[in-house]
Amino acid sequence: NAGVTQTPKFQVLKTGQSMTLQCAQDMNHNSMYWYRQDPGMGLRLIYYSASEGTTDKGEVPNGYNVSRLNKREFSLRLESAAPSQTSVYFCASRHGLAGGAEAKNIQYFGAGTRLSVL
Amino acid sequence: GESVGLHLPTLSVQEGDNSIINCAYSNSASDYFIWYKQESGKGPQFIIDIRSNMDKRQGQRVTVLLNKTVKHLSLQIAATQPGDSAVYFCAERSYGKLTFGQGTILTVHP
């Protein structure tokens, strides 16, 4: 049981390049999330998927797209990378069943992808 | 908008001491709170949570206290160890969304 797995761990891009960050969870969770973490700031939500087949914008969605490929996988795509997107990106998942035990509300995080855009 | 904040950005303690990390929140609609620990180069790791209808919850060496009157949350770590050195985040949930604080850096000196 690996939990939440993110690939790649590190990436350097040039301005204007595109890339997809991959995330997969093996906990049979319904909800998945993408956050970015910048120095001096808390985790900020980019996009989330409450359940398979749905995606919604978070606090900072501009410049990103997401795909909930199946229940396990949730990818984040940068179509045209900008230096402002230099950050550490975290994927998280949560069981998410409404009315379930409180433990099902805990978000579990991956190890992160460190992205630099030059 | 409402946000979660921390009183102290850094905390240094001696090994064996008890640590207290504080968090202020401003959203009275928040119904659930979580503490996470983040070690250098790793993702946030769940420590303990508490619902708004509780004022205290204990885990292994950790206790979370919630004071809704003053909108204050704290994390107490007993007998702090060097392995506890990390950034600690609080997060509040309101209307189903989590909002994270900036974090407190805890440094434990041997």
Side-chain angles (χ1 to χ4, degrees):
Chain A
N1 190 332
V4 179
T5 303
Q6 292 183 235
T7 56
K9 288 183 168 44
F10 302 94
Q11 184 71 49
V12 179
L13 294 177
K14 295 181 179 178
T15 297
Q17 287 185 316
S18 63
M19 79 160 295
T20 300
L21 281 64
Q22 307 287 353
C23 175
Q25 51 90 11
D26 61 4
M27 296 176 282
N28 199 34
H29 284 173
N30 294 290
S31 303
M32 298 185 73
Y33 306 81
W34 276 106
Y35 292 91
R36 60 179 289 172
Q37 185 178 45
D38 301 294
M41 303 184 76
L43 291 161
R44 291 185 293 169
L45 182 65
I46 304 171
Y47 270 94
Y48 68 100
S49 172
S51 60
E52 186 179 358
T54 68
T55 60
D56 286 286
K57 295 179 180 180
E59 179 186 355
V60 289
N62 292 344
Y64 305 94
N65 285 300
V66 290
S67 296
R68 183 75 182 267
L69 304 170
N70 47 55
K71 191 171 186 179
R72 290 186 65 248
E73 298 173 287
F74 188 38
S75 63
L76 178 71
R77 183 161 178 84
L78 286 70
E79 290 292 351
S80 179
S84 62
Q85 294 178 304
T86 294
S87 189
V88 182
Y89 291 85
F90 288 100
C91 177
S93 71
R94 179 177 74 95
H95 193 293
L97 278 182
E102 204 60 62
K104 295 180 178 179
N105 289 306
I106 299 167
Q107 290 190 20
Y108 295 90
F109 286 82
T113 295
R114 283 143 189 84
L115 176 66
S116 292
V117 183
L118 306 178
Chain B
E2 299 191 23
S3 63
V4 176
L6 295 172
H7 293 305
L8 299 174
T10 63
L11 178 65
S12 293
V13 300
Q14 292 296 126
E15 182 177 1
D17 287 351
N18 296 331
S19 302
I20 300 175
I21 301 171
N22 296 302
C23 177
Y25 68 95
S26 56
N27 191 339
S28 57
S30 294
D31 62 352
Y32 177 67
F33 304 86
I34 305 179
W35 280 100
Y36 283 94
K37 171 187 180 183
Q38 186 175 21
E39 296 175 274
S40 181
K42 297 184 179 180
Q45 178 184 3
F46 169 79
I47 301 173
I48 193 168
D49 58 355
I50 188 167
R51 299 174 66 176
S52 60
N53 61 355
M54 303 169 67
D55 53 20
K56 181 179 180 179
R57 192 171 189 197
Q58 289 184 292
Q60 189 176 19
R61 280 201 307 119
V62 295
T63 301
V64 56
L65 300 178
L66 175 63
N67 186 331
K68 293 182 288 294
T69 301
V70 296
K71 297 188 179 66
H72 184 267
L73 190 69
S74 68
L75 177 70
Q76 300 179 358
I77 305 173
T80 315
Q81 303 168 0
D84 294 327
S85 293
V87 176
Y88 289 80
F89 297 95
C90 64
E92 63 174 330
R93 185 184 72 184
S94 58
Y95 307 110
K97 300 279 180 67
L98 272 185
T99 301
F100 292 85
Q102 296 180 10
T104 292
I105 301 171
L106 175 65
T107 302
V108 183
H109 300 284

